[in-house]
Amino acid sequence: MKGKKVPVSFFTRPDVAIIAKELLGKCLATNFDGNLTVLRIVESEAYNGAIDKASHAFNNRKTNRTKVMYEKGGTAYVYLCYGLHQMFNIVTNIENIPHAILIRGGEPVSGISIMALRANKKVSDTSIGRGPGNVCKALGIHTGHSGISVNSEEIFIYDDDVKIKNKDIGISPRIGVDYSGDDALLPYRFYIKGNAHVSGKWRK
DNA sequence: TCGGCGATTAGCT
DNA sequence: GCTAATCGCCGAG
């Protein structure tokens, strides 16, 4: 791996949408059992805590599952959806403010053959890392990793100085959150335009 | 304690 | 385009 780890202070800043946008182009790496796998983040979504109906922590809802979102920025929040897909989020802001960023898509950078094996796909398959469930499958992340730091030995983010130009960044409403009324329209999804590893699928 | 449902995906048609 | 798969979470009772 080349480049430097993103410090925890990157995630403890107050504006979750800016952090989500700045994550584009950075690398998300996992290192389980000596198997290093890396995806470059190409799609992300911001969840704005207590005032965001689409967030699990809306209205400061705090349960056994969501309590991880109240940790300080830089903590991983992983949960199971539809009984079979795991979603990987990064908690942001300071302690007790439950902001989070969902990683929705990534381009394979390193450990590609391992990721293909985990996903039961070919190395050339661009659907590895496209969609939040696939990101977790490729990187080997599961709900047991919820609560650990994203600046740890097992999971970390690093910056290898790949710069994404503003004109190459697309912004849109979030996917799959129709149930959240007006908040479903918020422009909290960020992606790299034209990248093959961005999930383009819209619900309904 | 119980029952409905979800920040989705893959595989058909 | 449509839908089954599949199970932990959470609010109601």
Side-chain angles (χ1 to χ4, degrees), chain A residues 2 8 19 21 37 55 63 72 86 90 117 119 138 177 195:
Chain A
K2 60 187 192 319
V8 169
I19 300 172
K21 183 176 163 188
T37 46
S55 170
T63 66
K72 73 169 182 178
Q86 339 241 355
I90 302 169
L117 194 65
V177 294
N195 188 290

Side-chain angles (χ1 to χ4, degrees), chain A residues 67-150:
Chain A
K67 65 183 180 190
V68 171
M69 299 177 80
Y70 294 80
E71 301 279 325
K72 73 169 182 178
T75 302
Y77 169 48
V78 187
Y79 76 97
L80 190 69
C81 187
Y82 293 98
L84 57 159
H85 302 297
Q86 339 241 355
M87 308 278 170
F88 173 74
N89 300 249
I90 302 169
V91 176
T92 69
N93 215 311
I94 57 174
E95 203 172 332
N96 288 321
I97 301 186
H99 289 184
I101 297 168
L102 171 67
I103 305 302
R104 291 192 56 89
E107 176 181 339
V109 173
S110 173
I112 300 176
S113 59
I114 298 169
M115 293 193 280
L117 194 65
R118 283 175 181 155
N120 206 13
K121 287 173 179 166
K122 291 180 181 166
V123 169
S124 58
D125 191 333
T126 56
S127 76
I128 294 173
R130 180 167 60 210
N134 289 328
V135 167
C136 286
K137 198 190 278 182
L139 291 175
I141 295 172
H142 58 78
T143 54
H145 299 118
S146 196
I148 76 173
S149 169
V150 297

Side-chain angles (χ1 to χ4, degrees), chain A residues 4-185:
Chain A
K4 57 184 182 301
K5 272 191 181 182
V6 174
V8 169
S9 59
F10 178 87
F11 299 105
T12 52
R13 293 177 296 158
D15 192 327
V16 64
I18 287 178
I19 300 172
K21 183 176 163 188
E22 289 180 1
L23 276 175
L24 296 180
K26 294 196 168 26
C27 294
L28 170 61
T30 62
N31 191 0
F32 301 127
D33 299 322
N35 294 314
L36 180 70
T37 46
V38 183
L39 290 177
R40 187 178 309 284
I41 298 168
V42 299
E43 186 181 1
S44 63
E45 282 182 5
Y47 284 83
N48 197 17
I51 60 167
D52 183 352
K53 289 198 195 75
S55 170
H56 292 157
F58 173 63
N59 207 15
N60 277 317
R61 188 168 52 158
K62 193 169 186 177
T63 66
N64 212 36
R65 177 177 63 153
T66 61
K67 65 183 180 190
V68 171
M69 299 177 80
Y70 294 80
E71 301 279 325
K72 73 169 182 178
T75 302
Y77 169 48
V78 187
Y79 76 97
L80 190 69
C81 187
Y82 293 98
L84 57 159
H85 302 297
Q86 339 241 355
M87 308 278 170
F88 173 74
N89 300 249
I90 302 169
V91 176
T92 69
N93 215 311
I94 57 174
E95 203 172 332
N96 288 321
I97 301 186
H99 289 184
I101 297 168
L102 171 67
I103 305 302
R104 291 192 56 89
E107 176 181 339
V109 173
S110 173
I112 300 176
S113 59
I114 298 169
M115 293 193 280
L117 194 65
R118 283 175 181 155
N120 206 13
K121 287 173 179 166
K122 291 180 181 166
V123 169
S124 58
D125 191 333
T126 56
S127 76
I128 294 173
R130 180 167 60 210
N134 289 328
V135 167
C136 286
K137 198 190 278 182
L139 291 175
I141 295 172
H142 58 78
T143 54
H145 299 118
S146 196
I148 76 173
S149 169
V150 297
N151 194 13
S152 62
E153 293 300 311
E154 291 182 302
I155 302 179
F156 54 92
I157 314 281
Y158 69 89
D159 183 350
D160 58 359
D161 271 331
V162 169
K163 304 292 185 201
I164 309 300
K165 298 190 187 83
N166 243 342
K167 71 174 178 59
D168 291 327
I169 296 178
I171 301 177
S172 82
R174 292 168 295 184
I175 293 177
V177 294
D178 291 346
Y179 59 86
S180 56
D182 293 345
D183 289 338
L185 304 175

